[in-house]
Amino acid sequence: MMVVTQEEIKAALLQRYTPEMYDKISNASVAIAGLGGLGSHVAVMLTRAGIGKLMLVDFDRVDITNLNRQVYTYEHLERKKTEALAEILRKINPYITLETRDCYVNQENVTELFRDYNIVCEAFDKAENKAMLVNTVLEKCRHTTVVSGSGMAGYGSSNKIHTEKVMKRLYVCGDRETELEDDVCLMSSRVTVCAAHQANMIIRLILGITEV
């Protein structure tokens, strides 16, 4: 197997970025809450962008029903999502700093988990869990900005998915209306479009751009 050095990865990124961009992205850290269709793709995109550190938070294991829209493969079945995703990310950049937390996020542990991060990517499945995380982070973690996903189910037009600045420290990506229901599926293409919106907004925030 070819071994790539950290300096070689830096040199490759500097062919695409200015030195200032590289410094900001490589020194940035982001927490990702939920490692499913949104969170796993956001993590891959940020790793390819050269981010310095990610904290990966999820309590679940990889199931065969996840494979139609998440980054995992059959070799990851039954493994903890935190472990499987960390393995995938280290194949993209062996020098990324990763912190993994295998836990169910609730009101009691939100502050302890996310207070040290300036940016949190909300990537949960259920609306009530999304609302709990967003509301608690905004209330308890006064220096943290949340980039949330809402409305990416089905196979409707990808042009309806957009990024919106809802509050000073809250951005929402998605169509904000299409949720998973009995007659509405989850399709990889549309979920990934929403994840890309989240990842791009996170990159913009890292670079000091607060408008969408």
Side-chain angles (χ1 to χ4, degrees), residues 69-142:
R69 67 192 185 283
Q70 303 181 14
V71 299
Y72 311 103
T73 65
Y74 290 105
E75 67 184 88
H76 300 122
L77 289 177
E78 303 300 329
R79 292 180 60 186
K80 292 179 179 178
K81 288 186 176 181
T82 48
E83 292 179 0
L85 186 56
E87 182 178 286
I88 292 168
L89 300 181
R90 288 195 173 100
K91 288 182 178 178
I92 298 170
N93 181 358
Y95 307 101
I96 188 172
T97 300
L98 296 175
E99 178 182 358
T100 59
R101 300 292 295 268
D102 300 297
C103 63
Y104 187 87
V105 178
N106 55 43
Q107 280 186 307
E108 283 66 46
N109 62 14
V110 164
T111 305
E112 181 267 330
L113 284 169
F114 302 112
R115 64 188 170 196
D116 294 332
Y117 286 84
N118 291 329
I119 302 173
V120 170
C121 173
E122 179 283 308
F124 289 150
D125 292 332
K126 297 181 179 178
E128 59 267 30
N129 292 339
K130 290 175 175 289
M132 180 281 297
L133 179 67
V134 169
N135 292 334
T136 308
V137 168
L138 292 179
E139 179 185 355
K140 301 289 182 62
C141 306
R142 298 298 178 91

Side-chain angles (χ1 to χ4, degrees), residues 150-165:
S150 177
M152 75 296 298
Y155 46 86
S157 173
S158 57
N159 290 339
K160 291 186 177 180
I161 291 180
H162 61 283
T163 303
E164 186 176 345
K165 186 176 183 179

Side-chain angles (χ1 to χ4, degrees), residues 125-190:
D125 292 332
K126 297 181 179 178
E128 59 267 30
N129 292 339
K130 290 175 175 289
M132 180 281 297
L133 179 67
V134 169
N135 292 334
T136 308
V137 168
L138 292 179
E139 179 185 355
K140 301 289 182 62
C141 306
R142 298 298 178 91
H143 301 290
T144 302
T145 296
V146 180
V147 180
S148 178
S150 177
M152 75 296 298
Y155 46 86
S157 173
S158 57
N159 290 339
K160 291 186 177 180
I161 291 180
H162 61 283
T163 303
E164 186 176 345
K165 186 176 183 179
V166 178
M167 300 168 61
K168 184 178 180 180
R169 295 190 291 121
L170 174 61
Y171 297 81
V172 178
C173 304
D175 65 20
R176 302 193 67 181
E177 59 183 28
T178 311
E179 301 297 343
L180 179 63
E181 298 177 21
D182 290 341
D183 59 345
V184 179
C185 67
L186 284 173
M187 188 67 71
S188 175
S189 51
R190 204 161 192 265

